[in-house]
């Protein structure tokens, strides 16, 4: 699985867009980029994943650079409930194995 | 749709004691995972089952940890004997069968404290 690098923490004002970056320069051509988040005292929750193209769902948008070495998760209108640890994971090729890193602690403040 | 169920939610034991955790995955999910999450770190995969067969247990400390998934449904994870460094949250996750199923569904976890 690809090694990913994320900032340890970020802040965002409620109602504004939260843009969470991730570097995955060692990702291979058939590895996906996954984003999960973990709210305090809960299990991780899937957000979105992508391979090459940008993706959008009801929770977020995922922007992947053309060289696939980095990506950005966008929460368009952050709320206080979006305060969580966000994990960017490169992989998923072998029976869906996920290797979690340290993640980014996103704090949304009023 | 019912989520992944885990029990107990909390457990406190003394070192050298034994403990077991139980996981009931989402109905029909073929793949089941056990993760260990130490405070301040991301989850680490311990073992992965496909139906009732082990796919990956490379990071399972086999001298003290064991896991089984009888009949390809429920699973138990056991630690015997426990060490102080086993204090962590143990997460169970499941995933539907098929290459197009990417999302893992996590349970709430069992918080283990070893004293």
């Amino acid at each position: 699985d690809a090694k990913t690098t994320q900032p340890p923490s970020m802040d965002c004002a409620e109602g504004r867009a939260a843009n969470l970056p991730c570097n995955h320069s060692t990702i291979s051509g058939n590895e996906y980029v996954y984003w999960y988040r973990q709210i305090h005292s809960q299990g991780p929750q899937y957000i979105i994943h992508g391979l090459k193209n940008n993706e959008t769902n009801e929770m977020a948008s995922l922007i992947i650079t053309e060289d696939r070495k980095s990506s950005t998760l966008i929460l368009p209108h952050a709320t206080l409930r979006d305060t969580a640890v966000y994990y960017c994971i490169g992989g998923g090729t072998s029976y869906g194995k996920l290797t979690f890193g340290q993640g980014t602690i996103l704090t949304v403040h009023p | 749709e019912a989520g992944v169920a885990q029990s107990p939610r909390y457990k406190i034991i003394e070192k050298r004691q034994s403990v077991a955790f139980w996981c009931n995955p989402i109905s029909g999910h073929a793949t089941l995972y056990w993760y260990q999450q130490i405070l301040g770190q991301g989850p680490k995969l311990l073992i992965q089952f496909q139906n009732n067969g082990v796919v990956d247990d490379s990071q399972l400390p086999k001298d003290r940890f064991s896991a089984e998934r009888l009949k390809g449904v429920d699973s138990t994870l056991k630690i015997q004997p426990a060490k102080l460094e086993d204090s962590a949250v143990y997460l169970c996750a499941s995933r539907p069968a098929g290459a197009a199923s990417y999302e893992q569904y996590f349970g709430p976890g069992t918080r283990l404290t070893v004293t």
Side-chain angles (χ1 to χ4, degrees):
Chain A
D1 292 344
K3 177 176 171 56
T4 59
T5 304
Q6 300 178 252
S9 64
M10 294 183 64
D11 287 336
C12 178
E14 188 177 21
R16 306 298 293 267
N19 297 290
L20 291 87
C22 178
N23 288 323
H24 35 78
S25 58
T26 62
I27 197 168
S28 64
N30 61 348
E31 287 185 315
Y32 288 82
V33 178
Y34 294 85
W35 283 85
Y36 280 73
R37 74 179 182 184
Q38 188 171 24
I39 296 171
H40 184 62
S41 296
Q42 297 182 20
Q45 175 192 24
Y46 166 86
I47 302 173
I48 199 167
H49 76 280
L51 184 62
K52 295 180 182 178
N53 300 321
N54 299 336
E55 302 287 344
T56 295
N57 63 19
E58 65 278 5
M59 290 183 68
S61 294
L62 174 61
I63 308 299
I64 304 174
T65 58
E66 193 169 340
D67 61 8
R68 299 204 338 117
K69 293 185 176 181
S70 65
S71 61
T72 301
L73 178 75
I74 301 172
L75 307 178
H77 305 286
T79 70
L80 300 179
R81 287 190 298 272
D82 292 322
T83 292
V85 180
Y86 286 77
Y87 296 100
C88 168
I89 304 162
T93 54
S94 177
Y95 289 95
K97 177 180 177 179
L98 299 176
T99 302
F100 289 81
Q102 298 280 82
T104 296
I105 300 172
L106 174 68
T107 303
V108 181
H109 51 85
Chain B
E1 178 182 72
V4 175
Q6 291 189 246
S7 67
R9 291 295 314 277
Y10 304 91
K11 189 73 177 180
I12 301 174
I13 62 172
E14 294 181 353
K15 60 183 179 183
R16 291 187 288 274
Q17 286 187 323
S18 301
V19 65
F21 312 125
W22 174 80
C23 173
N24 184 17
I26 293 173
S27 177
H29 281 197
T31 310
L32 186 147
Y33 310 81
W34 282 102
Y35 290 84
Q36 178 193 58
Q37 186 172 24
I38 293 172
L39 186 65
Q41 299 180 17
K44 182 184 83 170
L45 179 68
L46 292 176
I47 189 167
Q48 177 179 346
F49 292 93
Q50 182 73 13
N51 296 309
N52 60 348
V54 175
V55 172
D56 184 349
D57 63 357
S58 57
Q59 297 196 86
L60 186 74
K62 299 180 185 64
D63 58 334
R64 297 183 301 105
F65 285 64
S66 65
E68 60 182 8
R69 190 184 185 197
L70 300 176
K71 300 181 181 178
V73 182
D74 293 4
S75 178
T76 56
L77 177 69
K78 297 178 181 178
I79 307 175
Q80 180 179 5
K83 293 184 176 181
L84 295 177
E85 59 261 36
D86 298 332
S87 293
V89 175
Y90 291 84
L91 295 159
C92 178
S94 68
R95 190 174 73 105
S101 301
Y102 299 101
E103 180 178 351
Q104 290 188 23
Y105 297 79
F106 284 80
T110 296
R111 182 176 299 276
L112 173 68
T113 302
V114 182
T115 62

